[in-house]
Amino acid sequence: MIRVEDTIASSPRLAVPTPSASTPPSAPTEQLREAALRYAEERHWDVLPGTWLEEGDDGAVHCSCGDPVCAEPGAHPSRADWPGQASGSAVAVRRMWRNEPRASVLLPTGRTFDVIDVPEVAGCLALARMERMELPLGPVLCTPTRRLAFFVLPGAAVKVPDLLRRLGWPPYALDLTVRGEGDYVVAPPTRMTGAGCVPGCVQWARHPTEMNRWLPDAEELLSPLAYACGREAAARRGR
């Protein structure tokens, strides 16, 4: 059986893609559809189609939503009622991507997983420390906007603020965001961009595999993540 991680182009572990000017504005449509199907079928994740990147007459890349100042170009829901649109049904996923084959692949959070989102530098530092500590890890995403997203059990969004206080960190003192119910994360091989960054594909820093099907609790990962974010914040203040 072909697995999710086999359908997405391989890349150096934690490397952020830097596509050339000749890179097409969207991932090949068949890759988007097949990845969405496998997330639903193999991981039992709900999947949602989103906006996509388009190249304008001026040669610049824009979000398909048409907003010239879009905050998440190519990587946000296209409908206000998106929570009800998301589905883990292969039939529904095929229909959604048949209607719009260029759609980005979004995964609603707060259902089968939450996500802890941190800056790339802090995330790499924390990931290395977690591996040395042999902590259980779930999938980890790496985005062109230089963020790492750690998959954890649902419910993290509710308890992380209190857990941070117990660790001695005010919840809003760190560049650490938890995405839970009512939010979403962008999945590979979606191509996206952001303020000040080159368009590129979302990639897996740690692929979904049978070994990490059971996700860690946020409490297991929060200490190294908070430490790494605090260290990066201190480094920025010292520059």
Side-chain angles (χ1 to χ4, degrees):
M1 179 184 293
I2 300 175
R3 306 210 57 77
V4 169
E5 55 270 26
D6 297 327
T7 69
I8 301 170
S10 60
S11 62
R13 190 170 183 267
L14 299 185
V16 176
T18 53
S20 67
S22 61
T23 303
S26 299
T29 55
E30 65 276 8
Q31 289 186 16
L32 292 164
R33 182 185 63 249
E34 291 305 310
L37 276 169
R38 288 185 169 89
Y39 294 141
E41 292 179 328
E42 296 182 12
R43 302 298 289 198
H44 305 294
W45 290 342
D46 282 355
V47 185
L48 170 75
T51 56
W52 58 92
L53 296 181
E54 295 180 329
E55 188 172 323
D57 295 336
D58 58 357
V61 174
H62 306 278
C63 185
S64 64
C65 71
D67 184 351
V69 291
C70 178
E72 300 177 285
H76 64 86
S78 56
R79 291 169 38 169
D81 63 346
W82 66 264
Q85 184 189 18
S87 176
S89 161
V91 173
V93 170
R94 287 190 181 93
R95 182 181 67 251
M96 289 187 284
W97 266 267
R98 182 170 61 246
N99 293 339
E100 185 40 75
R102 298 171 294 175
S104 58
V105 182
L106 308 180
L107 306 174
T109 51
R111 301 184 181 188
T112 52
F113 57 82
D114 281 3
V115 161
I116 303 178
D117 183 300
V118 299
E120 183 185 55
V121 172
C124 290
L125 175 64
L127 186 55
R129 190 177 186 193
M130 291 172 190
E131 290 176 340
R132 288 196 303 270
M133 297 169 66
E134 298 185 349
L135 294 178
L137 287 168
V140 181
L141 283 173
C142 180
T143 73
T145 54
R146 299 196 176 280
R147 307 286 297 185
L148 257 63
F150 292 74
F151 283 51
V152 295
L153 288 171
V158 175
K159 60 186 178 181
V160 160
D162 186 54
L163 291 172
L164 285 173
R165 291 188 190 97
R166 293 182 192 178
L167 291 170
W169 297 99
Y172 303 105
L174 303 175
D175 186 0
L176 182 152
T177 302
V178 184
R179 301 185 183 276
E181 187 175 359
D183 209 340
Y184 56 88
V185 67
V186 188
T190 297
R191 191 164 182 261
M192 61 176 292
T193 188
C197 75
V198 175
C201 289
V202 181
Q203 300 185 28
W204 290 111
R206 288 183 65 93
H207 292 282
T209 67
E210 287 295 333
M211 297 297 293
N212 61 23
R213 185 173 291 277
W214 300 103
L215 300 176
D217 188 272
E219 190 169 1
E220 298 176 83
L221 308 186
L222 197 58
S223 180
L225 284 170
Y227 168 79
C229 288
R231 179 171 170 174
E232 186 187 6
R236 284 200 306 268
R237 290 194 297 269
R239 292 183 188 132

